[in-house]
């Protein structure tokens, strides 16, 4: 059993709820040869200390289910990130001023696991389901989020997303946080392959919930 309150309490102090407007460069989409699925690449600079500094995010909207692959500048292991490193994918499916869902990736020291959470305006976060997590290298992690698990608002034709990593260690005693994009969020029309950037409040990383199995 592994509590995840530590990541939530630290990151909540360091991620103020602020509205930001800007466009994000480095978003490209390339079609897979011989297939209908597409993959969007989001580049991020080497701007954060710690081993979870994000280098790029691959977003595959039509992978069935959609999947996000987070690639870092440095290698890392499940052992090194236990109770120290977390990866989040925040989702806004209701079109209001906040993110209402997030995927959480954490380590029990031997392997990584993923779960989907609902972040209600009031009360504790609610675990919805486990998620499929996979590593293709020691510098990446992939998570799939099935759309049927998302409570998409009525008449909504798009959802927004952003990726956040947090790490605490020797060079990150105050917790290093990386966010992609740095401000705002990517908006993805449902059924369309390429995300665009829209302003949105910075999410509060808040997995202040009861322990879950590692």
């Amino acid at each position: 059993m592994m509590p995840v309150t530590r990541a939530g309490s630290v990151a909540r102090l360091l991620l103020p709820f602020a509205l930001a407007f800007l466009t994000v460069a480095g978003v490209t989409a390339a079609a897979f040869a011989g297939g209908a699925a597409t993959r969007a690449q989001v580049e991020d600079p080497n701007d954060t200390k710690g081993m979870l500094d994000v280098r790029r995010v691959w977003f595959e909207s039509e992978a069935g289910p959609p999947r996000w692959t987070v690639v870092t500048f440095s290698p890392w292991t499940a052992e090194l990130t236990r109770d120290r490193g977390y990866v989040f994918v925040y989702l806004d499916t209701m079109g209001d001023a906040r993110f209402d869902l997030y995927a959480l990736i954490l380590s029990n020291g031997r392997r990584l696991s993923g779960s989907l959470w609902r972040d209600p305006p009031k009360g504790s976060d609610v675990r919805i389901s486990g998620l499929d997590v996979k590593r293709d290298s020691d510098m990446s992690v992939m998570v799939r989020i099935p759309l049927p698990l998302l409570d998409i608002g009525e008449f909504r034709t798009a959802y927004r997303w952003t990726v956040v990593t947090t790490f605490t260690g020797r060079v990150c005693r105050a917790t290093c946080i990386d966010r992609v994009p740095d401000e705002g969020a990517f908006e993805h029309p449902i059924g369309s392959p390429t995300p665009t950037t829209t302003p949105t409040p910075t999410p509060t990383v808040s997995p202040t919930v009861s322990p879950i199995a590692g």
Side-chain angles (χ1 to χ4, degrees), residues 66-86:
R67 63 190 178 198
W68 286 257
T69 301
V70 180
V71 182
T72 58
F73 282 93
S74 303
W76 50 279
T77 66
E79 180 180 5
L80 290 174
T81 53
R82 179 179 183 178
D83 295 332
R84 301 166 65 189
Y86 303 88

Side-chain angles (χ1 to χ4, degrees), residues 75-155:
W76 50 279
T77 66
E79 180 180 5
L80 290 174
T81 53
R82 179 179 183 178
D83 295 332
R84 301 166 65 189
Y86 303 88
V87 179
F88 302 87
V89 178
Y90 274 84
L91 299 166
D92 166 35
T93 61
M94 304 304 291
D96 52 17
R98 61 189 302 277
F99 289 88
D100 45 276
L101 297 161
Y102 61 87
L104 167 63
I105 303 171
L106 53 74
S107 167
N108 65 2
R110 302 182 305 277
R111 64 180 181 85
L112 302 180
S113 63
S115 52
L116 182 65
W117 296 77
R118 178 174 289 108
D119 182 15
K122 296 181 180 180
S124 300
D125 297 356
V126 179
R127 187 178 188 273
I128 299 173
S129 173
L131 295 174
D132 179 28
V133 172
K134 181 180 179 182
R135 300 199 71 187
D136 290 329
S137 75
D138 59 1
M139 292 191 293
S140 69
V141 62
M142 180 273 291
V143 62
R144 297 176 182 268
I145 306 179
L147 289 181
L149 294 178
L150 308 183
D151 183 17
I152 298 177
E154 188 176 8
F155 306 119

Side-chain angles (χ1 to χ4, degrees), residues 187-209:
E187 182 175 271
H188 176 68
I190 298 174
S192 175
T194 306
T196 57
T197 306
T198 60
T200 193
T202 298
T204 299
V205 183
S206 57
T208 52
V209 297

Side-chain angles (χ1 to χ4, degrees), residues 30-39 61-63 193:
F32 286 122
T38 60
R39 148 188 262 213
S61 62
E62 300 177 21

